[in-house]
Amino acid sequence: MEAFKGRDLAEASHSAAAEGLHRKALLGSLLFLATLVTTCNAVCSLELREGHPNQPPGDCVDSDGDKHPINSYWVKDCKRCFCGEDTISCCTQTAIPSRYDKEKCQQNFHPENCTYTVVEKKNPGKPCLVEDWVL
């Protein structure tokens, strides 16, 4: 009986050690992934549907007067919008460069595809390193 208890104790000890290693590996993985996360602060707006003049009951009317059915999405001016039952919500889809050498480089916005490039001021054909982007 004592030999059986000793074996159970050894197995429990081995299991606890393995669990400790598993926790350390998981913690290390989570720490690594956390360092890869990019800052994300999407800029969104929310408007009440009834706040727009000439708002038909089954549609949303955007700022240009275009109609969109309820529960539909559309993209306009680099923003993704949604027509809900009571509100119109729009969020930017453009990642903006935030950490780069601002003395040496400049950012250029491309409205045709809602993107920025960052290039050297003296040599606009040469891209600059961007360390962080904000959405």
Side-chain angles (χ1 to χ4, degrees), residues 16-112:
E19 186 176 322
L21 287 174
H22 179 72
R23 283 185 184 164
K24 286 181 182 179
L26 180 61
L27 182 61
S29 297
L30 291 174
L31 182 61
F32 173 74
L33 290 173
T35 61
L36 296 178
V37 174
T38 303
T39 305
C40 182
N41 294 319
V43 177
C44 298
S45 64
L46 188 66
E47 298 179 33
L48 293 175
R49 281 188 58 238
E50 64 240 14
H52 288 275
N54 305 322
Q55 192 78 254
D59 292 322
C60 291
V61 178
D62 65 24
S63 58
D64 292 333
D66 296 332
K67 294 179 184 178
H68 305 277
I70 290 180
N71 295 325
S72 68
Y73 289 91
W74 69 95
V75 176
K76 185 175 241 172
D77 299 328
C78 299
K79 294 180 183 175
R80 185 167 195 245
C81 300
F82 176 73
C83 174
E85 293 287 334
D86 301 317
T87 59
I88 300 172
S89 61
C90 294
C91 296
T92 183
Q93 292 190 296
T94 305
I96 302 168
S98 64
R99 285 183 47 203
Y100 61 93
D101 185 344
K102 291 178 176 66
E103 290 182 22
K104 180 181 171 186
C105 304
Q106 67 184 19
Q107 64 183 21
N108 297 322
F109 180 65
H110 308 284
E112 65 278 1

Side-chain angles (χ1 to χ4, degrees), residues 97-98 100-110 116-130 133:
S98 64
Y100 61 93
D101 185 344
K102 291 178 176 66
E103 290 182 22
K104 180 181 171 186
C105 304
Q106 67 184 19
Q107 64 183 21
N108 297 322
F109 180 65
H110 308 284
Y116 281 91
T117 54
V118 181
V119 295
E120 289 186 1
K121 292 176 182 177
K122 292 183 179 178
N123 184 2
K126 188 173 180 184
C128 292
L129 173 67
V130 179
W133 296 81

